[in-house]
Amino acid sequence: MNNKKAFFKGFRDGIPIGLGYFAVAFSLGIMAKKCTLIPIQGFIGSLFTRASAGEYGVYTMVLQDASYLSVVIMSLVTNLRYLLMSTALSQKFSPETPLIKRILVGCCVTDEIFGISIAYPGYLAPAYTFGATAIAAPLWALGTMFGIIAGSVLPVKAVSALSVALYGMFLAIIIPPSKKDKAVGVAVICSFLLSYLCRNLDLLKSLNLSSGTITIILTLLISSAAAVIRPVLTNTDEMDS
Amino acid sequence: MTHSTWIYILLMILTTNIIRVIPITLIRKQIKNHFIQSFLYYVPYVTLAVMTFPAITEATSSPVAGYAALGLGIIAAWAGLGLFPVSVICCVAVFILEMLPI
C-alpha cells in the first residue's frame, strides 16, 4: 500500500475515533471551563496533548494553583500507559523507517490511535497513523473548545450517543481476531470480566483507581498471563509476509 | 503565588509527548525475547477490551442503550463488518433507544 492510500485509510478509520473524541472532549471542556480555562487554551492543550485523564488531572490543578512540578508528575502518572504502547509500537516498524517518522508516530499515540495502529496488518505504515490523527486530533481539540464555550448550556445528552462510536470501533478491532484465535478470545473475555469487576466490586472501588490506571494494570496482568499460558510462536514470520 | 495557565499547558504537552516518544525511538531493534513477543501480541486486544467494557454501558444516558450497542457491535464485528460500519451501527442503536420513552 502506498503512502497516500495508507493515509486515507487512516483518515477513514479515524472518523469514528474523532466522533467519539468530540463527545468526550466536549464534557472535558465543560469541566475545563469550571477550572477557568479559556477556549483557545483548551484548543491548544487538547490538540497537542490528546489525553483525557491527563488533561482532566492537569486542568483541576489549574484551579488549585498547584506547583509546576506537580503538573509534570500528574502528566507522567496518568499517561504512563503510553510508555507501554510506545514500546509495543516500536516493534511494529519496518527496519527502514526513519527516526523522524518514529518520533511523529510516537507523538500521535493515544489509546485509540495506538489500538488501530497496532492492529494494522504487517509493518505499520506511519502514514496510516498520521491519517487517523489528522482527523481525530482536531475533533478532540474542537470538542474541548466548544465544551468551554458552551459551558453547561448545551445538553450533554445531545452528544453522548456519539461517544459509543469509539467503542464500536474497538469492537471491530478485537472481535475478528478473537474469532480467529481462541487465545485472543479468552483474553478478551477475561478483560471484559476483570474490567467490570474493577469498576463494580466494592473492595476495588474503594481504591478509587482512575480508568487509565485500571487499563494499565489489567493490560499488564492479563497479557502476561496469556503470554505464559499461550505463547505466540514467532511474530517476525508473520511480519515478513 | 499565581501560576500561569499557559505554562501548565506547556508542561502538560511536553511531558505527555516525551513519554510517548522515548520507547519508540530508543527501542530500534526487534525484541527477540519470546515472552515479551507473546506479551506484546496480546497487549492491543486486552487494552481495547478493558477500555470498551463496562465503559460503553456508562457512556450512554441509559445503560440499556449501552448494552444494546455492545451486543449489536459484537454481532456486526463477528459478521466481519469494518470499523466504520460497526461504529455507525452502535451509534444508531443508541440514538434510537434513547429516543424511546422507556
Side-chain angles (χ1 to χ4, degrees), chain A residues 111-176:
Chain A
D111 298 338
E112 298 75 19
I113 301 289
F114 163 77
I116 60 168
S117 299
I118 199 83
Y120 191 84
Y123 287 129
L124 173 65
Y128 177 76
T129 304
F130 300 152
T133 301
I135 176 76
L139 282 170
W140 176 256
L142 285 173
T144 314
M145 192 178 81
F146 286 134
I148 295 176
I149 294 171
S152 46
V153 181
L154 272 183
V156 182
K157 199 177 168 179
V159 279
S160 88
L162 286 179
S163 62
V164 295
L166 202 72
Y167 303 115
M169 194 202 55
F170 291 167
L171 290 173
I173 295 173
I174 61 179
I175 298 300

Side-chain angles (χ1 to χ4, degrees), chain A residues 181-185 187-188 191 219 222-232, chain B residues 35-48:
Chain A
D181 182 346
K182 229 160 95 193
V184 172
V188 164
S191 305
T219 300
I222 300 168
S223 303
S224 302
V228 170
I229 299 167
R230 276 292 160 88
V232 182
Chain B
F35 170 77
I36 295 179
Q37 272 194 1
S38 303
F39 171 78
L40 293 176
Y41 168 77
Y42 290 107
V43 162
Y45 309 117
V46 171
T47 309
L48 293 178

Side-chain angles (χ1 to χ4, degrees), chain B residues 16-76:
Chain B
T16 311
N17 285 293
I18 286 169
I19 300 172
R20 286 178 169 132
V21 165
I22 286 176
I24 213 168
T25 47
L26 291 190
I27 309 172
R28 303 289 290 276
K29 294 239 158 68
Q30 283 288 327
I31 296 174
K32 296 276 179 233
N33 182 294
H34 205 166
F35 170 77
I36 295 179
Q37 272 194 1
S38 303
F39 171 78
L40 293 176
Y41 168 77
Y42 290 107
V43 162
Y45 309 117
V46 171
T47 309
L48 293 178
V50 168
M51 288 194 299
T52 302
F53 187 75
I56 190 171
T57 65
E58 291 159 1
T60 51
S61 308
S62 77
V64 179
Y67 276 102
L70 177 69
L72 288 170
I74 290 177
I75 293 169

